[in-house]
Each structure stands twice: as structure tokens, then as C-alpha cells.
Amino acid sequence: LINKIVNKETELKANIILNQLRDEVKKSLHQTGKEDEAKDGMDIALCVIDPERLTLQYSGAYNPLYLIRNNELISLKADRMPIGIHIIEKESFTNHEINFQKGDIIYIFTDGYVDQFGGPKASKFRKTPFKEMLISIKDKEMDEQKKILDSEFEKWKGNRDQIDDVLVMGIKL
């Protein structure tokens, strides 16, 4: 569905892509808002990067975007609604557009990493330690960052089952 939307659009706007994706998913799943129908949906973080203009557009359904510039982590908030039917559905997803600088790093991710149970108290990993880890590894090569993220996740999880999908995508701009 994303390919179909992106290929027909002449001007790519992150929030427009998500709005259309939401409409297509609702059609595909026959969601009309009736009480007895499936309330399936998905979370997503979507970016449109223009390397010539040095701009980044971001729109998200529950999944935020983290930008690290120098030693600061900037969080771009996602809308609190899924791709799919939702009780409190806004007309449009928010489009965040920022100018990026060479060397900025963006991270988009599922909630599986921060929601994983582990550690000595079998608690969730949580957002703050995740942010701190991203800041601490920002100067490393991206393949080294992946190894650290994988290793820390496995250490945290220990012998517990993985409870959700886990994806962390980092892009050095």
C-alpha cells in the first residue's frame, strides 16, 4: 500500500502518505467504526528525506522519531492514533518538517525494545534508558551501534521470551 501511495503522489508529504495509508488499511480491513468489527491497526514512523534541500519530514502513528544533533536528543512526537480505525481519530496526521545538518542521526523504532521485560526486576526497559543509550553510542559507526543495541537487548531480556517485534533503524544524515 505504501508503494502504491508513494508512486502516485507527485509531492511527497509524510502526513499525507499516512493519511492515505490509514484510508487504504480501513478499506482493506472493512473498518467502518461499528462496535463488533476488528479494531486492527498498526503503528509506524515514516520519514521523507530530501538530501538536496537538507529537509526531513516525519509523521508517526504512535512511534516517535529521535534526532541526535551534537549531544542533544530531540524527540518528534507521534500522533496518538494508529493506521486503522480509532475512536478519537484526527482528520490528519501531523507533518513535522525540519532542516537537518550533516552528521545528524535519526532513529525510528518500534516499541518492542523499550517494552521488553528483563533486568533484575523483570521490568520494562523504558524510554529514558533507551534515549541515554542512543546518546552514548552516537559517535560510533552505525554497524557498531547495531551490535551494541543487539547486545544490550539480549542482556536485558536474559532468558525471558521476547514479547514483541523489535526494530531500531538509525540513519546518519
Side-chain angles (χ1 to χ4, degrees), residues 11-101:
E11 183 183 4
L12 294 177
K13 292 248 182 241
N15 67 322
I16 302 299
I17 295 167
L18 290 193
N19 291 338
Q20 290 182 18
L21 181 61
R22 176 177 57 187
D23 291 344
E24 293 291 332
V25 165
K26 287 181 351 186
K27 269 191 258 177
S28 295
L29 298 176
H30 308 289
Q31 295 177 329
T32 60
K34 292 181 186 162
E35 205 162 300
D36 60 339
E37 69 188 11
K39 303 287 190 271
D40 293 327
M42 67 179 177
D43 304 345
I44 190 171
L46 185 121
C47 297
V48 176
I49 299 170
D50 185 335
E52 292 165 9
R53 291 182 37 225
L54 298 178
T55 59
L56 176 139
Q57 291 178 52
Y58 154 76
S59 191
Y62 286 116
N63 291 349
L65 176 143
Y66 293 163
L67 169 104
I68 297 181
R69 176 174 294 157
N70 303 320
N71 288 319
E72 184 183 2
L73 186 143
I74 301 159
S75 179
L76 300 181
K77 294 193 183 315
D79 289 301
R80 298 195 52 74
M81 59 183 178
I83 300 296
I85 201 82
H86 189 56
I87 296 167
I88 309 168
E89 191 173 289
K90 295 193 308 187
E91 185 177 319
S92 178
F93 285 93
T94 306
N95 195 56
H96 301 269
E97 186 166 347
I98 61 167
N99 294 315
F100 66 84
Q101 299 172 6

Side-chain angles (χ1 to χ4, degrees), residues 4 28 31 56 65 70 77-78 84 103 113 117 129 135 143 156 168 170 173:
K4 179 179 139 186
S28 295
Q31 295 177 329
L56 176 139
L65 176 143
N70 303 320
K77 294 193 183 315
Y113 202 108
F117 289 98
I135 291 169
D143 61 337
W156 178 260
V168 178
L173 302 168

